[in-house]
Amino acid sequence: MSGSRTKARATELEPVPWVNAPSERRVRAERRVGLERRAADRRGARRRDDEAAAVAERRSGERRAGARRVAEGAPSAAQAPGFVERRVLVLATLLLLLYGLVMAYSASTAQAYFTYGSASYLLLRQLIFAFIGVGAMVVLARVDYAVWRRFAGPFYAAAGALCVLALVPGIGMEIRGARRWLDVAGQSLQPSEIAKLAVVCFLAATIARVPRTLGTAGGFVRLVVLGVFPFAIVVGLLQKDLGTTLVLCVGAVAVLIAGGARWRHLVALGLAGPLLVGALILAEPYRMERIVAFIDPWAYAQTSGFQATQSLLSIASGRVFGVGLGNSVQKFGYLPDQTTDMITAIIGEELGLVGLLVLIGLYVFLAWSAYRVALACREPFGKLLAVGITSLIVGQAFINIGAALSVVPLTGVPLPLVSLGGTSLVLVLAGIGILLNIATNRRSHIVVSTRRSDGPARRGGDRRAPVAGAGRRG
Amino acid sequence: MKSRAGGRRAAARSGAKRRSGRRPVARGDGRIRLLRVLAVVAFLLVGGRAIALASSAGDLTSIAAGQQQSTHTLPAHRGAIYDRDGKELAVGEQRETVYATPYLVDDPYEVAGDLCRVLKIRSRPEQRRIVEELSDKGSGFCFIARKVDPARAARAVKLDIPGVGSYAEEKRVYPLKGVAAQVIGYAGIDNVGLAGVEKQYEATLRGGDGSETVVRDTEGRTIRVLETKKSAAGSSLRLTIDADIQYEAEQVLRRTVTGFAAKAGMAVVLDPRTGEVLAMANYPLVEDNVYGAEPAYERNRPVTDAYEPGSIFKAVTISGALSDGLTTPRTKYHLAPTIKVADREIHEAHARGSVTYTTRDILVHSSNVGAVTLGLDMGKTRLLKWVDKFGFGKPTGIDFPGEVAGIVPREWSGSTIGNLPLGQGIAVTPLQMAVAFGVLANRGMWVQPHLTAQIDDDVLPRAKRRRVVTAKVARQMLSMLTDAVDEGTGTEARIAGYKVAGKTGTAQKPLADGSGYSKYAYVASFVGVMPADHPKLVVLVSIDEPHPIWGGVVAAPAVRQIAAFALTHLEIAP
């Protein structure tokens, strides 16, 4: 316990430093102290483990140790840090995955049958990817997320390289006039999906390392220009993948917000957004049609508003309870991209409003528990990474469902965990694996546990408040 | 602004110091909570939109249904047409119609080439039409080939060209290849009766079309059937026509018309007791039921065309005179070689001197002067009365479309009384003439002629009938007409073993300009009733512009041949 006290003192002296950035001197000092603190963290952790019971020592998975540590001070194991979040997150993820497999099967049968001669061809493919993805999730849930901070830079560079590679004729696959895919052992791989994670990871790592710079205009601009612009240009302008760019921006902006960027900088960035959109429209005039078609899809029902109106028709045909699982008619060629970008519309048609609300409800659960992971995490990088990954998934889900309902313009992004598509599914599950690790990694709860052990010594009444603040209230 | 922010920061700093660093963490958490709330609000927004859409889906649902569903008719099986013995005259045969969806076709030439090869479409214009229609990208439907052999259509569909499909259709076929073609008429490509019995009984034969509402994919493949209204098969018809007699009549007409270098011929075989038409033949024939070559001869002219009957009509004049008691078969008349009526002089067909003829002789030798003499005795009113009673000037009411009434003069000129008794200046249909002789054959009873004996299982009720002359007059007439065959103008109609009654007619054709009669164009006719003492058949043959012109030479042998066959075929005892 003495080690813990040492740690706690350090924390008391130096407030967790990654939100406000008063001065450069302070930043440097804190960075120094921060490094010391991290060292102390490691020492403290080791010491606590030494002090733990022999039984616990023998079973010392990192996760178990964390849970036990909390159990010491908390009334029940259910209140172990990250326990509830992990449960809900895993549940929501698996339910969405299952939902997705069922719906992707239903939506893909016709296409699979007429194209590949077997109604279950695309389902089997998706099942394989689901296994790979769940495997990735399980593995990553056990990999200390600190790895992502250490390799954020290389990861970022590699993702960028892959995105550029996809543009190179001969290496990148061209599908429907767009070069977004790489051919990896006969499977198409979409590097922009990796890029989303890489950008979020890079931003989180940079902000966590140099927290105060985000508070300055120069630091903010540097971060945006370095972290977001390259991919916005490669993915958005060159790959013409507006949807993925949008999702990437949502994730990046979420990290910036949570990382403590000044509102006025964010507002300025928000104002720059329309300019960017204007530039994109100038680059590809068809996007103007998309936007006009978004405002009044029925006026362009046969041209640029086709997909939007067909989506609305699908959902409307489903009414409240849907036409029944597998009974969609729109999937027989009326609704383009019925297995990917438009899977929501098929859900609406087959399972009706009820199916849509269940879908949305599952995402709300996912969002709630995933943001709770971020809230519960006391460590800046983990917190920001959790916010970023969560926002990527949630933002993409919203853009997809919103597009199907004509709430947001159609940009063409898959519905995370649900749509057919290998890269997307594996990477979303991998992202959730990282979230799970953040939820239970002891690194995330060091502040909490020290404070709790410190609490009773000061005053009994405040005993559980920090725990609640970290775990339950979040 | 700057100072305020700075102050806040300072406060935060001091707060952080005071409360173990919770404040900054809490502020970062506040932003995450904000993101979380934003996410939830965003999902609530789409959820609300979904609810709004589901609760006002009506219009959209119908638009969706409109693009997904299509209703097509299930054509009813068209009732077959049989002859009196059940031989198939017209039946529906199952065929397939191959269609394409032009906007789904990428290469019209290639697709047209493949389809034409498989479907064996060899006609150049047809191939051109297919390419043209396939090239029309705005079109969603075009026929490739209608009503082709199902196996061939299956091969075309098997090519698996997007948008190419087939559906079942019935093709009307006429197994007897043109026998009774003008009577049966025909049904068009859409299986609607356009002529003849097919047209007359359209409603009966047609049945009730069903319909099927299906959900289709964008390539027109049926995904599922929503609603099926079964079609009700049309009723079948059994005609009174006897296909064998019909065939024989047509062949006899062919021989007669070609043998006497005539233009055309008609024949009617009637059962006088029932009004059943056993045969109604037209020459030229419509071979294989292929219509459109010679529309004038594709009508069923015994019903649709009226002509001046000539001497045959004398039977009507004399029946009337007998019925009115103005004469008896034995009443004698002194007849000059010619007789003058108003401005016109009536001659005999073969010049002779003055003779004394009984009424019987007048009929047997077909004396024009004698007939006019009787007509003059009767006068306009009586003559018209008998013309009307025998049913001339109005349709017989046979179940056949386009029947004409014929023309009976009501405003008479001075010479009309000298024309009408001979069958001039009046237009009748061959059927009316045959039915009039049917009156004499049926003991004075007029029976409405008809072509249909049975619809499905319903045997049609006995035909309408009415008395025209007494049985005695009818018997007297038949007796005289038998003599006409035995020793008069109609000797060529004699059939060994049977007593045949009959009357010849050799009518000048009126000129087209209405100025008078042709000196060269005649219609040769003969009506026979057989067996004369218990009549079962009336056979009329009328040959247009034969050479020679005489009914007794041209038409009487034709009647004999048809009647001889019919008597044998129907096993009618002498």
Side-chain angles (χ1 to χ4, degrees), chain A residues 19-20 257 260-261 263 298 310 313 315-317 319 327 329-330 332-334 353 375 378 383 398 405 474, chain B residues 9 24-25 27 29 31 36 42 46 49-51 53 57 60-61 64 67-68 215-218 221 223-224:
Chain A
V19 175
N20 279 343
I257 289 174
W263 286 116
W298 292 103
Q310 288 299 330
L313 289 179
I315 295 170
S317 329
R319 301 218 174 196
N327 289 342
V329 178
Q330 291 285 97
F332 286 94
Y334 294 99
L353 177 62
L375 286 166
R378 296 279 114 193
K383 205 174 191 72
F398 170 73
L405 288 158
Chain B
R9 254 175 271 137
V25 174
R27 190 178 291 177
D29 284 355
R31 288 186 164 200
R36 189 172 64 176
V46 290
R49 169 76 175 139
I51 292 170
L53 197 61
L60 297 187
T61 311
Q67 72 176 14
Q68 297 164 351
V215 176
R216 298 173 313 167
D217 71 2
T218 43
R221 289 176 288 231
I223 300 168
R224 60 174 163 269

Side-chain angles (χ1 to χ4, degrees), chain A residues 287-320:
Chain A
R287 293 200 173 107
M288 191 66 210
E289 291 170 25
R290 284 255 184 118
I291 288 169
V292 174
F294 165 65
I295 294 163
D296 184 8
W298 292 103
Y300 302 88
Q302 287 310 315
T303 54
S304 45
F306 182 75
Q307 208 170 357
T309 50
Q310 288 299 330
S311 169
L312 290 177
L313 289 179
S314 306
I315 295 170
S317 329
R319 301 218 174 196
V320 176

Side-chain angles (χ1 to χ4, degrees), chain B residues 45 82 120 193 195 256 268 305 384 486 529:
Chain B
L45 183 71
Y82 303 102
K120 301 205 193 313
T256 306
V268 176
D305 286 27
L384 277 183
D486 284 345
V529 176

Side-chain angles (χ1 to χ4, degrees), chain B residues 242-476:
Chain B
D242 184 306
D244 296 318
I245 300 175
Q246 176 77 29
Y247 177 77
E248 181 64 21
E250 285 171 2
Q251 294 311 311
V252 168
L253 283 182
R254 178 207 296 279
R255 287 198 296 271
T256 306
V257 169
T258 49
F260 292 100
K263 273 171 70 179
M266 297 180 255
V268 176
V269 181
L270 190 72
D271 185 334
R273 300 164 299 171
T274 59
E276 289 175 338
V277 178
L278 297 173
M280 192 134 65
N282 292 266
Y283 190 88
L285 305 170
V286 178
E287 303 282 356
D288 287 342
N289 282 74
V290 176
Y291 283 82
E294 267 191 290
Y297 293 118
E298 286 163 9
R299 295 193 303 267
N300 185 27
R301 284 171 289 125
V303 177
T304 59
D305 286 27
Y307 75 124
E308 295 203 10
S311 306
I312 295 180
F313 196 78
K314 287 173 188 160
V316 174
T317 310
I318 292 170
S319 297
L322 284 172
S323 296
D324 283 344
L326 298 174
T327 184
T328 67
R330 291 172 211 282
T331 310
K332 288 188 174 127
Y333 297 90
H334 184 75
L335 303 174
T338 63
I339 186 168
K340 197 166 161 125
V341 178
D343 60 335
R344 220 182 137 208
E345 193 160 51
I346 313 293
H347 301 264
E348 296 289 6
H350 302 278
R352 55 157 176 80
S354 291
V355 291
T356 301
Y357 272 179
T358 60
T359 305
R360 177 183 298 265
D361 293 333
I362 289 172
L363 196 60
V364 167
H365 299 294
S366 194
S367 163
N368 292 343
V369 177
V372 170
T373 308
L374 284 167
L376 285 167
D377 283 354
M378 291 169 80
K380 176 184 175 182
T381 315
R382 283 208 180 94
L383 259 175
L384 277 183
K385 179 183 79 182
W386 289 107
V387 164
D388 288 342
K389 274 200 157 187
F390 274 94
F392 297 106
K394 58 176 178 285
T396 61
I398 189 174
D399 45 352
F400 197 89
E403 187 185 15
V404 295
I407 303 157
V408 173
R410 304 285 165 184
E411 307 297 322
W412 284 25
S413 71
S415 63
T416 306
I417 193 77
N419 276 350
L420 197 74
L422 315 176
Q424 276 189 335
I426 183 172
V428 306
T429 65
L431 181 69
Q432 283 173 332
M433 206 66 235
V435 171
F437 271 77
V439 170
L440 305 179
N442 193 34
R443 298 174 190 177
M445 294 294 284
W446 181 92
V447 183
Q448 188 175 50
H450 54 275
L451 280 162
T452 311
Q454 197 175 341
I455 296 174
D456 276 343
D457 295 332
D458 302 331
V459 178
L460 295 187
R462 217 166 73 119
K464 275 194 284 188
R465 52 192 64 215
R466 61 184 160 80
R467 180 156 294 281
V468 177
V469 296
T470 60
K472 184 185 169 200
V473 170
R475 200 169 56 243
Q476 288 173 337

Side-chain angles (χ1 to χ4, degrees), chain B residues 97-181:
Chain B
T97 286
V98 182
Y99 62 87
T101 315
Y103 70 78
L104 290 174
V105 172
D106 294 329
D107 184 346
Y109 282 93
E110 196 192 320
V111 169
D114 287 349
L115 287 172
C116 288
R117 181 170 44 75
V118 170
L119 292 168
K120 301 205 193 313
I121 299 170
R122 299 228 171 77
S123 124
R124 285 273 160 206
E126 186 64 8
Q127 291 176 348
R128 246 197 308 281
R129 176 193 70 82
I130 292 170
V131 170
E132 259 167 40
E133 293 197 11
L134 286 179
S135 304
D136 179 7
K137 289 289 171 207
S139 162
F141 184 89
C142 79
F143 285 119
I144 300 297
R146 288 199 74 175
K147 300 186 181 181
V148 296
D149 177 45
R152 197 169 287 174
R155 276 203 292 280
V157 174
K158 239 181 158 177
L159 291 173
D160 212 20
I161 300 166
V164 172
S166 74
Y167 61 89
E169 253 190 327
E170 205 175 73
K171 183 185 171 131
R172 200 65 163 164
V173 292
Y174 301 92
L176 296 187
K177 308 249 177 237
V179 172

Side-chain angles (χ1 to χ4, degrees), chain A residues 18-38:
Chain A
W18 44 275
V19 175
N20 279 343
S23 73
E24 279 298 313
R25 192 179 53 79
R26 181 103 200 182
V27 168
R28 276 196 297 275
E30 275 174 355
R31 204 198 283 171
R32 234 177 7 254
V33 178
L35 287 169
E36 283 165 15
R37 202 190 73 234
R38 278 203 293 280

